Amino acid sequence: MKIARIHIENFRSIKSLDFDPGSYCVLIGENNCGKSNILRAPTLLSARLGRASGVSLRRTSTAKTRSTTSSSRCTSTRSLRWRNNFKMEIRGIELRCKAYKRAVKGKPAGSLKVDYVCIGADGKVVSCPAEPLQKGQQFKGQWLPQRVSGDLRESIPFIYVDVLREYDRQNPSSRWSVLRRLFNEVNAEFNSDKTAVKVRQPDGSEVKMTRREAFEQTVQGAYKYLRTERFEEIESRLAANAMEQMGLAEGDNKVGLRFGSHDSTNAFKSLDLYVDQLGISSPAGEVGAGLQSAIVVAIFRTYEELKKTGAIIAIEEPEVFLHPQKARYFAGVLRTLTEKGNQVFLTTHSPVFVQIHTPESVALVRRNAADGTKVSQAAKVELAETDRQALRLLTEFDSQRNEMFFAKKVMLVEGATEKVALPLAFKALGVDINKENLSVIECGGKTKIPLFARVAKALDIPFVILADHDVREIKSDWSEGRKKEQTEKNLKHERWNSDLVAAAAYEKRVFFLRPTFEDVMGLSGDDSQKVDQAFEKFTTITGATLPAALRDPIQALLGTQIAQKAEEKASVA
């Protein structure tokens, strides 16, 4: 099962939201923009994991909200089910939550009414006959909306991992934990296992019994050693006081109370996980946060690996507690899970979990007062296979380029020299690009910039392009051979420059340095020294001495008024 479409209305920061997640969906956005709300809404459709993750619908205090219906809908692959001899095609599940405007059936006004309904291929609620259909007879009875049964919710393999990855929230004793679900299957097999095993008795004889009977006998035999006089006194006093409280005399409906070490029908839920390291054994809930996080992630991975059907895994900030190398490894693991038929959702602030050559996997989350939380996707960005290969080569070992997905605005430049110099140029104008959430993205050359521009456009990321014009004047005293060579170079660069303007789709987004950045800044043509020279020159540059060729694209990215205010502030300082 995979979620093909998500629709959410009036849930926390979300007013109305639709998007189509793929097999690997990365939710990116600033803090408090609503990423977690998007991630948590589908968990409500899988009741057990929804409760385990602490997700709930709640009534707010405003009258306007009380009369508003909240809903979360997930559309998935087809599921066929029968009811009353009628075959239903279920394509999705919708949760609706509405507050009563007035008291209804003893419930006060404002009480929440929650409905789970099944959605068909037409997007409407699936209906089924109230009574069994009879062969050869026309049904004239009532049709009722098909509600979501417990077994249907149980069939949704939704796994949710929140950012607080504490083991104690995932141990087998927790009713809604994934470990409990894993051990429920083990327990069912254990209780139904009729294989006989030989068990030695206290008198030395051997008898055959099932594994469960052998376990019960062994535990009871060990348990007797706990029954000290003080222990039995506590147990007997509890029973006597309970009888007295109910007004019962000894012998009249006698009540007995006893302590047991485990639930005989499910001994696995009383298990605890221990960590053995460096000769020390500790409960998993008492080890360091990093190890607890790794254990919790391992639990969910194990659940996925042992299930026969594909899982839907939602993880908040998978980079938490991980070193960069382990974060990159885990990112690879998550992508591998999708290749095995699973679906992965995640929220992240780390470029490691984003790959620019698959921009359709990115869901950029933004929030404003008018629209609430919204999602921009790049599902329609057109990249040829060669483009994807080029981007993958560029970003395989460079997560800095993936910063463009996390920035409010970006400046696309050609190479390392501009990458070093431009942040200092912003600083000369009184703008800290890190504070303002801006990024200067080095694209690996002029010919690669259009690829990045198309991705930025697809995700509605504001951007400007700063590139070398590279068309040089042909001098009359040059030889014919040199003139021909330069003419060919100029034609090539004119073609590339036209590609830049076309990719930007708006000419005022593109700024050319004539003929090159190095010429404008008076840097040496020696490639081995350009970066050092640029850094040395720009550390001393001021807003007043910054060339207009660099000032103009900065102002275009920031907006003229913002840039002027920043420049005035910098000059005063």
Side-chain angles (χ1 to χ4, degrees), residues 270-311:
S270 61
L271 296 177
D272 203 353
L273 184 67
Y274 284 82
V275 177
D276 298 326
Q277 190 175 34
L278 301 177
I280 301 174
S281 183
S282 306
E286 297 180 8
V287 299
L291 183 52
Q292 285 196 53
S293 175
I295 291 171
V296 172
V297 172
I299 290 170
F300 284 89
R301 284 186 58 195
T302 302
Y303 174 80
E304 178 275 323
E305 291 168 357
L306 294 179
K307 297 298 287 184
K308 299 298 183 183
T309 57

Side-chain angles (χ1 to χ4, degrees), residues 39 128 197 265 287 464 473 514 558:
L39 197 67
C128 62
V197 295
T265 62
V287 299
V464 298
E473 179 186 358
R514 299 175 187 269
L558 297 175

